Amino acid sequence: MDLAQNHEKMQRLLSPFLDDELTQGESRRVRVHVEDCRECAATLEEMRHLRSLTASVQFAEPPEDRMAQIERSLSVRMPRQAGWAMIVAGLLAWVAYAAVLAWRAWPPGLQELMAGAIIIGLILLFVSVVRQRMIELPEDRYRRVKK
């Protein structure tokens, strides 16, 4: 291994050396290299200085109500989105199923017509409610009200 490769290897080992993550032999090699190399000695000293600065930094704790709000938003958003996806997928499956049944038994009988009318009515009702809610959402003055 030439000197440039050894130097690069030692530079990569400076951080693990500082964190006591090296074997005894590797630590000894880094220590010897740092004694002979001004660049690595300066880098190691700078890393020690940064480590002491970051250790003294105090992080602000978020308020409890904000933490609770974050937890609620994460725990509610995912099931809600999954629920909407399941409803839409279920409705699409029912429409496809009704289309296949209608195609197989054409012309449909009275029972099929009634069941189809109920399903189509429910789908249209659902779509109209969702559409109306989406239209009114920007002007909903209560959407930011906290419970």
Side-chain angles (χ1 to χ4, degrees):
M1 181 181 306
D2 67 345
L3 292 174
Q5 287 177 331
N6 186 45
H7 181 72
E8 287 178 27
K9 181 180 178 185
M10 291 301 142
Q11 282 182 323
R12 284 192 305 268
L13 292 176
L14 289 176
S15 181
F17 172 77
L18 191 60
D19 294 334
D20 293 325
E21 296 174 349
L22 300 178
T23 65
Q24 190 176 16
E26 288 173 326
S27 272
R28 190 173 353 103
R29 282 194 295 276
V30 170
R31 218 175 297 117
V32 169
H33 178 78
V34 167
E35 288 174 2
D36 293 337
C37 179
R38 286 184 181 174
E39 181 183 348
C40 287
T43 302
L44 186 62
E45 189 54 41
E46 185 177 332
M47 291 171 82
R48 282 186 177 131
H49 180 67
L50 286 172
R51 185 180 192 183
S52 68
L53 287 176
T54 56
S56 65
V57 173
Q58 296 292 323
F59 293 99
E61 288 290 326
E64 281 298 317
D65 59 332
R66 177 69 179 133
M67 287 302 294
Q69 179 186 10
I70 290 170
E71 290 171 4
R72 277 194 310 274
S73 68
L74 294 176
S75 65
V76 170
R77 187 177 302 142
M78 174 59 180
R80 187 175 293 164
Q81 290 172 347
W84 279 107
M86 294 298 283
I87 288 173
V88 170
L91 288 174
L92 291 175
W94 270 106
V95 168
Y97 180 68
V100 168
L101 287 179
W103 180 70
R104 282 186 175 174
W106 195 259
L110 183 60
Q111 291 175 338
E112 288 89 4
L113 286 175
M114 289 188 307
I118 291 171
I119 291 172
I120 290 171
L122 288 172
I123 291 171
L124 290 174
L125 181 62
F126 175 77
V127 169
S128 69
V129 169
V130 169
R131 181 179 170 273
Q132 189 64 33
R133 180 69 182 128
M134 297 305 286
I135 289 170
E136 293 174 358
L137 189 63
E139 288 107 35
D140 186 4
R141 59 185 174 164
Y142 298 111
R143 77 173 187 221
R144 292 197 175 113
V145 173
K146 295 180 182 177
K147 293 181 184 180

